Amino acid sequence: MSSTFALITGASKGLGQAMAVELAKKQYNLLLVARSEATLRELSATLTTTYGVQVAYLAIDLSLPEAPAQVERWVKEHAFPISILINNAGYAVWGTFAQKPLEDQLNMLQLNMQTVVALTYRLLPILGQQAKSYILNVASTAAYQAVPTLSGYAASKAFILSFTRGLRLELKSKNISVTCLSPGPINTNFLDRAGMDAIRATAEKFGTPPEPVAKAGLKAMFSGKPEVIPGTVNSLSAGATRFLPKALIEKVAGSLYNKFY
């Protein structure tokens, strides 16, 4: 069993929960961070009983500006030795920019970008104390092109992709490896949070379960790869953005979410 901990944000459901299970199987102790205390409590008990690992959790709204400092304080107060940071928490707001409440969009950008930056900054010194550490930032295939009706979300994930690439180079000579996971559609509660029920059938048709995405992301992380896009179709579509005209790529992307225009 590892003597260090993996901290996962957005750990109560979906991809975050799947990664928690995979790491527990590998005998990593876990720090689970999300909003739902009841779900975190149940998951923690299950992982401890099933895999015999140590699990602690913190119920907190990570979209609040003060949240990263509170997570850092929690980690330091308990002297948790963290060797893995997985920035997974995030969500989308679906609809045309002018029609969606500004507050909702700013809240999304806070969680998707600023929380990732602040939490990474605050926990880097702790990660640097370990013999070998890893950061896995979760972006999206939406990061590779603009997506009408998901404009803010796609932009926030493009930021994460670029931020991860730069951070990886900055830490190249250190003991911290940085990887970006860019999944396509995953069948989780993402659609509910984004308000995308109107296109649920189409989205779920192209979606995948979170478990194989979690496995692919963790495999790439432990292998020290810079980026991973699980799924052949997802990888090809992201790669196509390098060669095909942006206008064409963005028209196709927008057609998948064309309820609004």
Side-chain angles (χ1 to χ4, degrees):
M1 177 185 295
S2 173
S3 60
T4 59
F5 285 79
L7 189 151
I8 307 171
T9 66
S12 61
K13 299 178 181 177
L15 181 59
Q17 183 182 104
M19 288 193 283
V21 171
E22 289 301 316
L23 285 169
K25 290 179 180 178
K26 298 179 183 295
Q27 292 294 287
Y28 269 90
N29 300 314
L30 299 169
L31 303 178
L32 308 180
V33 182
R35 292 185 302 168
S36 174
E37 183 169 3
T39 306
L40 288 172
R41 185 188 307 113
E42 181 179 355
L43 177 60
S44 297
T46 299
L47 294 175
T48 299
T49 302
T50 305
Y51 301 105
V53 296
Q54 297 180 57
V55 184
Y57 66 85
L58 178 65
I60 188 172
D61 184 352
L62 286 167
S63 69
L64 298 176
E66 62 270 23
Q70 293 175 358
V71 174
E72 178 193 20
R73 186 159 52 249
W74 174 63
V75 169
K76 288 184 174 179
E77 285 177 352
H78 293 85
F80 292 126
I82 300 174
S83 63
I84 296 175
L85 170 62
I86 299 179
N87 287 305
N88 167 69
Y91 72 99
V93 172
W94 180 50
T96 58
F97 174 74
Q99 291 177 345
K100 305 306 292 185
L102 178 60
E103 183 179 358
D104 292 351
Q105 299 188 66
L106 293 178
N107 183 271
M108 174 191 68
L109 297 176
Q110 174 73 37
L111 177 62
N112 291 6
M113 295 188 297
Q114 295 190 56
T115 294
V116 172
V117 172
L119 192 58
T120 300
Y121 183 89
R122 290 178 175 279
L123 296 184
L124 267 178
I126 299 174
L127 291 165
Q129 293 171 6
Q130 316 310 323
K132 181 64 179 179
S133 293
Y134 303 89
I135 297 173
L136 180 64
N137 290 332
V138 178
S140 166
T141 51
Y144 293 87
Q145 71 285 305
V147 182
T149 71
L150 287 171
S151 298
Y153 175 76
S156 71
K157 292 305 183 178
F159 173 88
I160 292 300
L161 178 60
S162 181
F163 172 67
T164 305
R165 287 171 172 172
L167 185 64
R168 177 181 174 84
L169 292 174
E170 291 180 15
L171 299 175
K172 189 173 182 179
S173 62
K174 308 294 183 180
N175 60 331
I176 305 173
S177 178
V178 187
T179 300
C180 190
L181 167 62
S182 295
I186 305 175
N187 293 330
T188 64
N189 65 327
F190 178 89
L191 299 177
D192 298 325
R193 185 79 188 272
M196 300 174 71
D197 194 63
I199 59 169
R200 181 177 298 275
T202 300
E204 290 182 346
K205 178 180 178 181
F206 295 100
T208 59
E211 290 77 13
V213 177
K215 291 179 180 179
L218 293 175
K219 180 180 179 180
M221 181 190 76
F222 284 122
S223 299
K225 292 185 177 180
E227 298 173 31
V228 58
I229 304 172
T232 302
V233 174
N234 293 328
S235 182
L236 289 174
S237 64
T241 62
R242 302 176 186 175
F243 308 106
L244 298 178
K246 289 185 181 298
L248 174 61
I249 293 293
E250 290 164 1
K251 181 178 181 180
V252 171
S255 69
L256 298 174
Y257 308 97
N258 62 4
K259 177 179 180 291
F260 290 93
Y261 62 95

